[in-house]
Amino acid sequence: MVLADIVMPVMDGIEFSEILGKKHPEIQLIILSSYDKFEYVKTTLLNGASDYILKPTLNPENLLKTLRKAAERIPGFRLQAQNDVSYKAQLERVLLGFKDRLDESVFANLFKNTLYRLFALNVKDCLRGSTNDIFSVKRMVEDFFAEKEEYVVQVMFLQEEILCGVINYRVKDDEDVIKSLDEISQKIRRIYPFAFFVVSGNFSNMQEIRMFYQKNILPEIGKGFYYPEKYLYIAEADKTREKPKRFEFEEYTRELSDKQYEKALSMFQNYIQYLCKYQIEEGKLKNLTKNLLYNYLMETEKITGKSEELRERFFREIEKTQWVNEFTETFSRITGDLALLIEEGKGAEDDVIRHIKEYLEEHYQEQLDLSNIAEKFNFSYSYLSGYFSQTVKEGFSGYLNRIRIRHAMEYLSGSPLPISQIGEMVGYTEHSYFCRVFKKITSETPSEYRRRMKRS
């Protein structure tokens, strides 16, 4: 039997039903869809589909009813109900938190020994993202423990990527269990170089299985990144871990906005070093590093001029690292490159400020404001405002006023033109404003200055 959606990429359910009906008429096809138009129903049924289910009405009862109906059309085939939930299904539900307790009456015939341990392997990390060999790894583990008749072992997949096993054994076999786990993990490591098994502490109450999974397995299973030479990690039974301290992101962005790039970079470096010592999960470490790096590159783009180019290169280098020592070396090199680029960029930016000053000297008579200059020199208004003040040690309008008043003083001392006209010539449209600015800078009004110059 095949269940297929009406809406699918490449080929829709109607076309699929036509091809399947011609090539494999013995296969029972059930179509799923959110559409209730009869044309869809009619077309798929004419093509050989055995039934049609609307998603809004889909529930376990309707699905089972449809499956039984389709099964009746298959000669010699009969659906058989499974009254009891399997051991593995119950274990999965408890480990994943969908159920609070194991049914001890069900497991009484399975777990007859005193002690338990959990072991787990992140298959996705082991295979570096590939899923081709996911079941071969599971078979290797199952085949290995099938020969250990003194143990009871249940192996299952959790969340599609964690291969987890429960071992029930006698107290006297505790040391031998560890040896067996070492043997199978070493065997798998020879084939898959990134395999990293985690083993929980032992416990005697089967109802503690979820607690040990959460406390021993989950916090440690992603740590193979930190142990290049280790393939088996035995978690401490009573180990508790505090959450990693939060990164002061607001302060980080503030330092970047204030152009305190060295301080921001130091914050960035210290936090990533802290996370490496804390041994945060590899994926989280890399993602956080890239996020903070992205913010840094965006804020410093005006200095480096290479935000996108650097981002692609740095992100690629980070993702390529396979062990923590490679990661720290790569991160150190990246931050070193950033520090050098910032240092070089500052010199380049000083040249930009010089060009802006030259432009103001040539165009001071025009109606200028910071937004005009920012647009002309391809800067954001807020960035240029802050950087101009920081570099020149004076605000933009104050600096422009000093240029204009300096030229006004030249006209006043060497030209008989009216004061109002001189104000307009140096860029002031309002006479009263020109006089106020002139007095603020020179401590004299334009008339007082002119009279004094004539006397001297």
Side-chain angles (χ1 to χ4, degrees):
M1 288 183 274
V2 172
L3 281 78
D5 205 313
I6 217 57
V7 178
M8 301 185 291
V10 183
M11 180 186 298
D12 62 33
I14 294 175
E15 187 179 355
F16 176 67
S17 68
E18 182 181 2
I19 295 172
L20 192 69
K22 290 179 180 178
K23 293 190 174 183
H24 301 282
E26 73 283 2
I27 291 179
Q28 303 303 307
L29 173 64
I30 299 168
I31 292 289
L32 301 174
S33 179
S34 299
Y35 303 102
D36 59 356
K37 291 184 178 180
F38 182 70
E39 298 82 52
Y40 293 129
V41 180
K42 180 180 178 182
T43 305
T44 56
L45 293 178
L46 287 174
N47 288 338
S50 61
D51 214 334
Y52 189 99
I53 302 178
L54 292 176
K55 290 179 184 177
T57 66
L58 182 60
N59 57 44
E61 292 73 23
N62 286 343
L63 179 59
L64 287 171
K65 182 179 178 181
T66 304
L67 290 171
R68 290 191 187 98
K69 182 178 174 182
E72 290 172 0
R73 299 176 61 172
I74 303 175
F77 179 74
R78 183 173 67 88
L79 282 178
Q80 185 174 355
Q82 185 177 348
N83 295 321
D84 295 326
V85 179
S86 71
Y87 296 128
K88 290 181 182 179
Q90 278 208 42
L91 288 168
E92 287 174 18
R93 289 175 63 80
V94 171
L95 288 169
L96 294 174
F98 296 116
K99 189 175 179 181
D100 292 332
R101 295 174 60 84
L102 291 170
D103 188 338
E104 295 193 22
S105 63
V106 171
F107 284 88
N109 294 324
L110 178 68
F111 294 150
K112 298 179 180 180
N113 298 314
T114 307
L115 288 184
Y116 301 85
R117 279 189 190 266
L118 296 172
F119 66 90
L121 166 74
N122 189 314
V123 184
K124 184 179 177 182
D125 289 347
C126 171
L127 304 176
R128 287 290 139 171
S130 171
T131 57
N132 294 337
D133 295 339
I134 188 168
F135 290 105
S136 66
V137 175
K138 183 172 182 283
R139 281 195 299 272
M140 287 176 68
V141 174
E142 288 176 329
D143 292 346
F144 175 83
F145 282 108
E147 299 175 3
K148 307 288 182 180
E149 297 180 358
E150 63 273 29
Y151 311 148
V152 177
V153 181
Q154 292 288 305
V155 181
M156 68 217 83
F157 277 114
L158 302 176
Q159 299 167 323
E160 299 182 0
E161 60 184 42
I162 297 178
L163 181 65
C164 183
V166 182
I167 307 179
N168 178 234
Y169 59 95
R170 299 169 297 186
V171 173
K172 67 175 185 178
D173 293 327
D174 191 57
E175 187 176 337
D176 191 58
V177 165
I178 297 298
K179 289 180 180 177
S180 296
L181 287 167
D182 183 87
E183 185 181 342
I184 182 58
S185 56
Q186 188 175 7
K187 182 179 179 181
I188 291 176
R189 180 62 172 260
R190 292 194 197 102
I191 303 172
Y192 304 104
F194 300 101
F196 182 74
F197 278 82
V198 176
V199 181
S200 76
N202 62 42
F203 53 99
S204 56
N205 184 349
M206 72 166 67
Q207 301 300 347
E208 293 182 308
I209 187 170
R210 175 159 170 76
M211 183 190 75
F212 274 82
Y213 179 70
Q214 290 183 310
K215 199 172 181 180
N216 285 182
I217 300 297
L218 288 181
E220 313 295 342
I221 196 167
K223 290 190 177 175
F225 180 68
Y226 297 94
Y227 299 101
E229 306 300 326
K230 187 174 285 191
Y231 49 84
L232 182 68
Y233 180 89
I234 302 174
E236 298 174 31
D238 59 349
K239 184 176 181 180
T240 56
R241 279 167 56 89
E242 295 180 357
K243 290 184 178 180
K245 65 183 182 183
R246 175 180 170 274
F247 182 67
E248 298 296 335
F249 188 75
E250 294 81 6
E251 183 182 347
Y252 179 65
T253 53
R254 187 166 57 250
E255 296 288 11
L256 288 173
S257 297
D258 294 342
K259 298 162 194 64
Q260 300 299 317
Y261 302 124
E262 292 83 358
K263 289 183 180 179
L265 190 60
S266 179
M267 284 184 67
F268 184 15
Q269 289 173 307
N270 291 338
Y271 190 68
I272 297 304
Q273 289 167 4
Y274 160 75
L275 291 181
C276 287
K277 290 179 181 177
Y278 183 90
Q279 296 186 341
I280 192 173
E281 189 267 322
E282 176 190 356
K284 291 181 180 178
L285 174 67
K286 290 182 176 179
N287 285 337
L288 184 56
T289 302
K290 290 190 289 186
N291 286 340
L292 295 178
L293 183 58
Y294 175 83
N295 280 274
Y296 194 90
L297 291 173
M298 290 300 292
E299 287 293 336
T300 59
E301 184 174 16
K302 289 296 180 185
I303 290 182
T304 63
K306 304 175 181 179
S307 175
E308 187 172 347
E309 175 191 336
L310 291 174
R311 184 170 69 249
E312 290 179 2
R313 176 162 67 87
F314 290 159
F315 281 19
R316 189 167 55 248
E317 290 175 0
I318 288 169
E319 281 301 324
K320 281 173 62 179
T321 59
Q322 298 175 334
W323 308 108
V324 69
N325 54 345
E326 295 177 9
F327 173 84
T328 52
E329 288 174 8
T330 299
F331 181 69
S332 178
R333 186 173 63 252
I334 287 172
T335 52
D337 289 348
L338 287 173
L340 185 61
L341 285 167
I342 294 300
E343 194 63 35
E344 293 174 350
K346 280 185 176 179
E349 239 186 353
D350 290 342
D351 288 340
V352 172
I353 294 296
R354 179 171 54 80
H355 290 314
I356 291 175
K357 287 181 176 180
E358 291 172 355
Y359 182 84
L360 295 179
E361 285 287 351
E362 294 176 8
H363 300 271
Y364 67 89
Q365 309 98 325
E366 301 172 14
Q367 295 304 305
L368 299 175
D369 57 36
L370 186 60
S371 59
N372 303 139
I373 302 301
E375 184 177 355
K376 179 172 181 60
F377 286 87
N378 196 28
F379 283 92
S380 71
Y381 177 90
S382 57
Y383 177 85
L384 184 57
S385 175
Y387 188 74
F388 190 94
S389 299
Q390 186 180 13
T391 305
V392 183
K393 309 303 180 187
E394 185 177 18
F396 175 81
S397 59
Y399 183 82
L400 180 58
N401 279 331
R402 284 198 302 106
I403 293 176
R404 286 172 169 171
I405 298 305
R406 175 163 47 83
H407 286 283
M409 291 167 71
E410 293 173 2
Y411 286 125
L412 288 168
S413 61
S415 167
L417 293 172
I419 291 175
S420 59
Q421 187 177 345
I422 291 174
E424 291 178 1
M425 289 172 61
V426 296
Y428 294 103
T429 55
E430 292 184 17
H431 177 66
S432 59
Y433 180 64
F434 166 60
C435 293
R436 286 199 306 273
V437 173
F438 192 98
K439 186 170 184 179
K440 181 180 179 181
I441 292 176
T442 66
S443 300
E444 296 177 297
T445 65
S447 300
E448 291 170 343
Y449 177 79
R450 173 172 267 180
R451 285 195 296 270
R452 186 169 63 81
M453 287 295 101
K454 283 184 176 180
R455 286 197 301 271
S456 64

